[in-house]
Amino acid sequence: MSLQEILNHRRAVRHFDPDKPLDNAVVKRCIEQATLAPTSSNMQLWEAYHVTDRNVLEKLSHACLDQLTARSAQQTVVFVTRQDQYRQHAQAVLAFEKDNVRSNSPAGKQEKRIRKQELYYTKLIPFVYSRFFGLLGLFRKALAQSIGLFRPIMRQVSEGDIRVSVHKSCALAAQTFMLAMSEAGYDTCPLEGFDSRLVKKALHPPYDTEINMVITCGVRMPDGVWGERYRRPFEETYHTV
């Protein structure tokens, strides 16, 4: 399918066919394709739980307020954020980027570029992503506002701002997954309506994990899509400056 066809095919499906199971390998491949989505500073602070066990699906269905899309889902994929992993991820990205510079940069520029990467991933990233009861975020915010009096600077540096940034990156991966599923001929429904405590109880993720999105998966029934798709007029969305 073309991109336009994929976008037209993807709908929030509320009722899945119980007689049409999904191929686990295909869904896993779609999750793998989601790893190609961009993330802030390439930190990739997200993970996906691919749920195929019927007992766990039933627990997730209840956690998702017993919505029909959850009750009829053949499989479910839960995207979570892992901001607690920022140090490990930063080290991994830095190691990759050092090799990247050595392989693809002119010899005379390698040392300078490696120093720049080291400064970014060993100093700036830990400073921006660390949390301490909101206090570090307040300090970063005050610092950014002060520097911003003299030059442009990123001002969204409070602990809440960084949490939002991590969730935005995770959401990009979730959207990429849904488009990949659509290209594979499968259907999905992203859910905001869920009890995060019960979702965690069903999945047993690490303590600091946050639930970003629960995506039910299957093949749509004729009544799975609730009518035509509404979108605001494009001229109200599009602005040119």
Side-chain angles (χ1 to χ4, degrees), residues 196-207:
S196 59
R197 183 185 68 84
L198 291 180
V199 172
K200 285 187 173 184
K201 188 175 180 180
L203 299 179
H204 306 291
Y207 177 77

Side-chain angles (χ1 to χ4, degrees), residues 151-219:
R151 65 177 178 84
I153 189 171
M154 189 181 86
R155 299 171 187 267
Q156 290 71 41
V157 291
S158 72
E159 294 187 20
D161 291 332
I162 300 304
R163 178 175 176 268
V164 168
S165 177
V166 172
H167 275 272
K168 286 195 296 185
S169 289
C170 185
L172 289 172
Q175 172 69 353
T176 302
F177 166 73
M178 288 188 288
L179 294 180
M181 287 284 281
S182 184
E183 193 272 339
Y186 290 161
D187 295 301
T188 56
C189 184
L191 299 182
E192 291 284 359
F194 57 82
D195 184 320
S196 59
R197 183 185 68 84
L198 291 180
V199 172
K200 285 187 173 184
K201 188 175 180 180
L203 299 179
H204 306 291
Y207 177 77
D208 287 333
T209 297
E210 292 187 0
I211 308 301
N212 175 265
M213 200 171 298
V214 178
I215 301 180
T216 55
C217 308
V219 176

Side-chain angles (χ1 to χ4, degrees), residues 36 76 138 153 194:
L36 298 176
T76 297
L138 289 175
I153 189 171
F194 57 82

